[in-house]
């Protein structure tokens, strides 16, 4: 199967055109089929991925590593600053120069916004941003988009609620940007202190996407999708503010059952207390499936960034 994907790196959701997004969704579907037919388990056997997670992660790191291993590739990894030479004072630039000599592609998570762009400018191998502080998390947004496309069959004509820490959730920042390519309506639900940053409002207005902002959790009842996030504790400079806000919203089973549109509930995970476990048994809950789709999308992204030819089915 032939494809056109004009990106070596995945850094920021702004880099994608609608056509790129369609390519990613289609290639992910194709990769799933190839995997079922056992036709890609050696596809990346000549490649090695460096997995550099300088900030905590379970799903993103393991799903990238799973994706690479399922494609027959190899993985080297470092986790946390304390175990890397960055704790001895090494710059990210120097670390990346060395990684370039070891690996064919690198996935990086780092607490500083813009760090993956700096990393990408330092070296020639493909770099994938797996979360840069409160900035962006483009691969999560792509798997979120894929989840909506798989579960709702189309991304257009949906009313989508974002619930929670809209200020600091990088997954929301990235997904909102991707959704501007589609015909959707957005409802932002959060405490006023955690409202969506102004730059996203401006962008939505510019692209003529209808949106509303409210503190009322019930506003998701007339939405097709509700995307819940935890309060991003690690981004707060003021501990008291976190303590004041930490229990400000909880989506539970009774709330979901009251929705008029049988709202699909998404969450990038991890959850803390903002999404009750009693929602898990409802057919509305897709968050564990969403994590599974993450492996499929990341398999596709590794192939696309490395520009590897796909076999026929
Ligand atoms: C998210 C992240 O790291 O931004 N997690 C993830 O990648 N699935 C969401 C979060 O930590 O709340």
């Amino acid at each position: 199967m032939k494809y056109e994907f004009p990106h070596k790196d995945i850094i920021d959701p702004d880099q994608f055109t609608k056509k790129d997004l369609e390519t990613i969704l289609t290639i992910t579907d194709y990769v799933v089929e190839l995997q079922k037919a056992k036709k890609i388990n050696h596809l990346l056997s000549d490649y090695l991925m460096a997995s550099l997670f300088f900030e905590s992660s379970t799903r993103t790191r393991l799903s990238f590593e799973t994706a690479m291993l399922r494609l027959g590739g190899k993985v080297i990894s470092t986790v946390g600053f304390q175990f890397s030479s960055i704790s001895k004072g090494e710059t990210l630039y120097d670390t990346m120069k060395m990684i370039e000599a070891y690996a064919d592609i690198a996935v990086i998570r780092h607490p500083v916004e813009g760090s993956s762009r700096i990393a990408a400018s330092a070296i020639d191998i493909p770099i994938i941003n797996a979360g840069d502080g409160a900035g962006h998390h483009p691969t999560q947004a792509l798997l979120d988009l894929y989840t909506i496309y798989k579960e709702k069959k189309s991304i257009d004509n949906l009313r989508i609620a974002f619930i929670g820490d809209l200020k600091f959730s990088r997954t929301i920042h990235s997904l909102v940007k991707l959704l501007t390519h589609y015909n959707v309506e957005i409802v932002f639900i959060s405490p006023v202190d955690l409202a969506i940053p102004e730059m996203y409002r401006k962008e939505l207005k510019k692209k003529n996407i209808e949106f509303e902002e409210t503190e009322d959790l019930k506003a998701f009842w007339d939405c097709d999708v509700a995307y819940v996030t935890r309060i991003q504790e690690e981004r707060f400079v003021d501990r008291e503010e976190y303590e004041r806000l930490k229990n400000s919203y909880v989506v539970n089973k009774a709330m979901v059952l009251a929705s008029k549109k049988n709202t699909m509930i998404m969450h990038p995970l991890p959850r803390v207390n903002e999404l009750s476990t009693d929602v898990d048994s409802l057919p509305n809950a897709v968050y564990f499936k969403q994590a599974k789709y993450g492996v499929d999308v990341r398999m596709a992204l590794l192939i696309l960034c490395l520009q590897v030819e796909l076999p026929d089915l």
Side-chain angles (χ1 to χ4, degrees):
M1 170 137 167
K2 295 253 176 297
Y3 59 81
E4 247 179 66
F5 190 70
H7 305 280
K8 175 173 72 71
D9 308 312
I10 297 180
I11 305 294
D12 185 312
D14 276 338
Q15 76 187 72
F16 297 119
T17 61
K18 173 95 178 249
K19 185 166 174 259
D20 294 333
L21 298 180
E22 300 298 312
T23 301
I24 293 166
L25 300 179
T26 311
I27 294 295
T28 304
D29 275 343
Y30 190 67
V31 162
V32 169
E33 290 309 312
L34 282 172
Q35 210 195 354
K36 279 189 206 149
K38 299 210 180 311
K39 287 198 170 175
I40 44 169
N41 33 5
H42 300 296
L43 194 72
L44 298 191
S45 58
D46 289 339
Y47 295 89
L48 195 148
M49 180 185 92
S51 165
L52 311 168
F53 280 75
F54 300 113
E55 215 185 33
S56 29
S57 171
T58 302
R59 259 153 303 274
T60 307
R61 183 170 67 83
L62 291 182
S63 83
F64 264 114
E65 296 184 2
T66 303
M68 191 62 184
L69 294 171
R70 286 202 179 279
L71 291 165
K74 298 168 192 77
V75 176
I76 51 170
S77 60
T78 182
V79 179
F81 287 118
Q82 70 276 31
F83 300 118
S84 79
S85 283
I86 291 188
S87 69
K88 299 181 189 166
E90 184 171 61
T91 61
L92 181 60
Y93 179 88
D94 283 3
T95 302
M96 294 316 294
K97 281 308 229 193
M98 181 217 45
I99 291 296
E100 182 179 32
Y102 295 173
D104 304 294
I105 187 164
V107 178
I108 180 167
R109 170 171 288 190
H110 194 283
V112 176
E113 266 179 60
S115 48
S116 48
R117 190 175 298 287
I118 295 169
S121 64
I123 61 179
D124 286 332
I125 61 168
I127 293 284
I128 301 182
N129 175 8
D132 60 337
H136 282 289
H137 193 348
T139 67
Q140 176 71 42
L142 290 166
L143 78 87
D144 295 337
L145 199 71
Y146 186 72
T147 304
I148 299 172
Y149 152 77
K150 290 306 273 184
E151 298 297 314
K152 293 281 171 194
K153 306 299 168 222
S154 162
I155 298 159
D156 286 316
N157 305 317
L158 295 177
R159 190 168 163 84
I160 301 176
F162 286 100
I163 302 174
D165 186 347
L166 314 182
K167 182 178 175 186
F168 293 123
S169 286
R170 55 193 175 194
T171 69
I172 291 183
H173 299 166
S174 293
L175 183 54
V176 165
K177 279 186 175 272
L178 295 189
L179 288 173
T180 62
H181 293 281
Y182 296 87
N183 176 22
V184 293
E185 285 173 17
I186 295 181
V187 183
F188 292 118
I189 308 173
S190 72
V192 175
D193 292 325
L194 297 176
I196 191 84
E198 179 58 20
M199 59 181 289
Y200 296 97
R201 285 192 205 108
K202 276 200 185 134
E203 178 149 358
L204 291 170
K205 281 184 195 148
K206 199 171 100 199
K207 303 240 172 99
N208 277 321
I209 308 277
E210 266 188 54
F211 69 95
E212 288 163 33
E213 289 185 80
T214 174
E215 284 191 81
D216 184 3
L217 204 50
K218 295 198 265 317
F220 85 78
W221 286 354
D222 68 347
C223 292
D224 303 283
V225 177
Y227 187 105
V228 188
T229 56
R230 71 181 170 95
I231 302 226
Q232 307 281 300
E233 179 179 357
E234 67 275 35
R235 311 277 175 233
F236 280 73
V237 269
D238 180 352
R239 185 77 209 164
E240 272 175 31
E241 199 187 3
Y242 169 71
E243 290 297 329
R244 182 170 59 79
L245 290 165
K246 72 176 185 193
N247 294 318
S248 48
Y249 58 94
V250 178
V251 174
N252 60 26
K253 185 173 179 174
M255 288 224 68
V256 176
L257 288 175
S259 77
K260 296 179 195 78
K261 275 192 159 175
N262 202 14
T263 313
M264 175 169 102
I265 308 296
M266 298 177 67
H267 194 305
L269 302 173
R271 71 175 142 191
V272 186
N273 55 359
E274 69 289 344
L275 178 62
S276 305
T277 51
D278 64 4
V279 177
D280 299 2
S281 58
L282 297 177
N284 312 56
V286 297
Y287 27 93
F288 293 117
K289 216 167 172 189
Q290 194 180 339
K292 153 78 182 75
Y293 286 139
V295 176
D296 301 333
V297 170
R298 288 175 173 131
M299 285 171 80
L301 295 175
L302 291 169
I303 293 167
L304 291 169
C305 288
L306 288 165
Q307 298 281 322
V308 172
E309 206 176 304
L310 283 165
D312 289 332
L313 252 180

